[in-house]
Amino acid sequence: MKLHSIPGRIAVIAALSGAAALTLAGCSTASTGSEFEASAPSTLSGTVSFWHFFSDREAEVIQSVVDDFEAANPGVTVEVHEGQDDEKLRKAIATGDKVDLGLSYSTDVVGNFCSTGAFRDLGAVIKRDSVDLSQFSDTVRSYTEFNGVRCSMPVLADVYGLYYNKDLLAAGGFTAPPKTLSELQDMAMKLTTFNADGSIKTLGFNPMMGWYENSAAHLGPLGAAEWLNADGTSAISGSPGWTELMEWQKGFIDELGYDKVNAFTAGLGQEFSADNAFQVGSVAMNLDGEYRTAFIADQAPQLNYGTAPMPVIDSDASLYGGGYVTGNIAGISKGSQHPELAWALLKYLTTDTDAIVKLSNGLKNAPTTTDALASPALEVSPQFKTFLDIMQNPNSATTPPSPLGAGYQQTFEDFWHSYQSGAVSDLPAGLADVDKQINDQLNLVSGP
């Protein structure tokens, strides 16, 4: 599970990445004493510090796997620091040697952490121990490295798709979920109900950007939309997928009425509470991650629901089946005093099939290796299987690492918020300005 919610997370990461770019710039792996990669020890002993962000029930799942690691390595003690978000992790890495192994909830830190050396380059130790990276999908490999530097490994994945209320769809005469965005809009309008005063009572689907998991990152794969060019500059204005996605979303908002959707959204329950709008039937269909299956099992076990890939743009129906994939990542701190132990724990968490399956079953996140995905011990409900299929679909995509972290996403989303409100009259000109803003930020970070 990652930090909630996503729009808020992007804002946090965007701010964090800007600060990190300044604070960590100039750090290099040359000062980290990285000679440990030269040879593998015959035995492991000592204490390794492990920082992660999980808390409560999820922290217990992590601890259970750490216990297994310690049992398999009786000379090693893992000093676990739970509840450490990315800002705390960054500060600890930048200011000292407290962290050996750090686990982040965001792939958006990878570009900055790899380029500044905050996380060590794992290339030599991966080669030394013959770790097979082909066990990870292309998408997973892409979000755990930057510019050829692999400074992190994947610790489970989050995959996004469509949740739909079977009872509400059946009451509206629908027997299957939509596959294109126009089908989604048509169905959603027919499933929407209104109060006597004309305000919205229930929605078929809430298109408001920024609500729950409605983010540009999560919509991008539905239109094969591109974020960055090969040189790291913004590709947004030149990617027709973004224009089609934005015009569809704005048209949907306009059909419902921006003020009405805004008022309805303001009255909905918190995303990760038992009052979640999909779980209580306030929306019939919703974009969400695979982890929602665990929340429904815990908070709304009687809900009759199905899952499917998100509908895609009408101009390219062949994209159907894919979706947005991201995940948690972990790396060895530049100041680690016990990098060999940190590597042993990192390798265990990310490549040991039993460990990965145990984490997936406990956290209800998608496993990232081919062996774990095929393991008979993996607990897979029909609703959860949808996300495993999306994860392996060639149309699935992620957000590319950048020295800006999530800053480029935040810049675009800020513009999208203005656009959906009706404050933007010239979409192409606005997108061109988004490119300029992102490229200016990039020049500031990567300049002399």
Side-chain angles (χ1 to χ4, degrees):
M1 183 72 58
K2 56 185 18 185
L3 188 70
H4 315 298
S5 72
I6 298 299
R9 179 181 64 82
I10 288 179
V12 170
I13 295 299
L16 166 62
S17 298
L22 297 175
T23 305
L24 296 175
C27 297
S28 75
T29 52
S31 62
T32 60
S34 57
E35 296 82 2
F36 84 96
E37 297 99 334
S39 61
S42 57
T43 59
L44 296 172
S45 64
T47 299
V48 58
S49 66
F50 175 33
W51 289 47
H52 69 73
F53 62 89
F54 291 99
S55 61
D56 302 325
R57 181 189 69 82
E58 294 180 324
E60 294 176 2
V61 176
I62 297 291
Q63 185 61 52
S64 71
V65 178
V66 168
D67 292 343
D68 293 344
F69 173 79
E70 289 181 322
N73 299 275
V76 178
T77 299
V78 181
E79 189 177 81
V80 177
H81 301 264
E82 66 181 56
Q84 306 297 317
D85 63 25
D86 277 12
E87 183 173 6
K88 294 176 181 176
L89 177 64
R90 179 194 64 79
K91 289 179 178 177
I93 291 174
T95 59
D97 55 6
K98 300 175 183 177
V99 182
D100 288 311
L101 180 65
L103 192 158
S104 166
Y105 45 76
S106 174
T107 59
D108 293 323
V109 304
V110 171
N112 186 263
F113 277 26
C114 282
S115 61
T116 63
F119 275 171
R120 297 183 181 215
D121 185 350
L122 302 173
V125 75
I126 285 173
K127 182 178 181 181
R128 185 196 74 183
D129 291 358
S130 302
V131 174
D132 179 13
L133 296 180
S134 69
Q135 64 189 308
F136 306 112
S137 69
D138 291 345
T139 300
V140 170
R141 287 202 300 272
S142 72
Y143 69 61
T144 47
E145 65 180 358
F146 177 68
N147 273 355
V149 176
R150 171 163 297 286
C151 71
S152 69
M153 297 282 280
V155 185
L156 303 181
D158 284 323
V159 187
Y160 290 81
L162 181 74
Y163 283 73
Y164 59 95
N165 184 313
K166 290 184 176 180
D167 292 338
L168 293 178
L169 261 64
F174 299 106
T175 58
K179 291 187 175 181
T180 66
L181 293 177
S182 62
E183 290 176 1
L184 171 64
Q185 185 172 342
D186 289 344
M187 288 177 63
M189 292 304 298
K190 292 173 182 174
L191 291 168
T192 295
T193 62
F194 297 89
N195 296 305
D197 63 0
S199 61
I200 295 171
K201 183 177 183 180
T202 63
L203 264 180
F205 180 88
N206 189 344
M208 183 68 76
M209 176 59 66
W211 178 70
Y212 284 10
E213 300 300 322
N214 291 355
S215 69
H218 297 170
L219 294 179
L222 313 181
E226 298 288 339
W227 284 100
L228 303 175
N229 297 306
D231 62 1
T233 57
S234 178
I236 292 171
S237 69
S239 179
W242 286 125
T243 300
E244 186 167 350
L245 287 167
M246 294 183 75
E247 289 179 342
W248 163 78
Q249 187 265 350
K250 177 69 163 57
F252 196 170
I253 288 284
D254 289 346
E255 185 172 3
L256 288 163
Y258 177 79
D259 291 340
K260 286 185 178 180
V261 180
N262 221 10
F264 174 78
T265 300
L268 296 174
Q270 293 296 314
E271 181 179 6
F272 294 99
S273 73
D275 292 329
N276 173 282
F278 176 74
Q279 293 178 187
V280 301
S282 295
V283 295
M285 297 178 284
N286 196 31
L287 165 65
D288 212 335
E290 84 294 331
Y291 46 80
R292 178 58 51 193
T293 61
F295 282 86
I296 293 174
D298 179 49
Q299 298 171 341
Q302 304 306 315
L303 183 65
N304 184 22
Y305 75 102
T307 58
M310 273 292 293
V312 299
I313 55 174
D314 288 64
S315 64
D316 191 355
S318 69
L319 294 172
Y320 186 73
Y324 181 69
V325 178
T326 186
N328 304 316
I329 58 94
I332 302 174
S333 164
K334 68 183 179 69
S336 171
Q337 298 300 297
H338 309 283
E340 190 67 56
L341 299 180
W343 168 241
L345 179 56
L346 176 59
K347 190 166 57 172
Y348 180 77
L349 293 172
T350 59
T351 65
D352 184 278
T353 299
D354 291 341
I356 296 169
V357 169
K358 189 172 186 177
L359 286 170
S360 178
N361 287 342
L363 299 172
K364 284 304 174 191
N365 292 160
T368 49
T369 66
T370 51
D371 286 348
L373 284 165
S375 171
L378 186 65
E379 298 170 358
V380 182
S381 67
Q383 293 93 339
F384 191 73
K385 185 178 183 302
T386 296
F387 297 95
L388 301 185
D389 293 340
I390 294 172
M391 185 178 178
Q392 298 173 81
N393 188 286
N395 293 318
S396 289
T398 189
T399 39
S402 166
L404 297 175
Y408 67 92
Q409 299 169 49
Q410 188 64 54
T411 298
F412 182 36
E413 285 211 4
D414 289 345
F415 172 73
W416 199 324
H417 280 261
S418 295
Y419 177 67
Q420 74 176 356
S421 73
V424 175
S425 58
D426 188 336
L427 179 58
L431 291 174
D433 185 61
V434 168
D435 281 349
K436 182 179 183 303
Q437 292 181 53
I438 293 171
N439 293 338
D440 287 346
Q441 295 167 29
L442 189 65
N443 289 332
L444 182 64
V445 171
S446 59

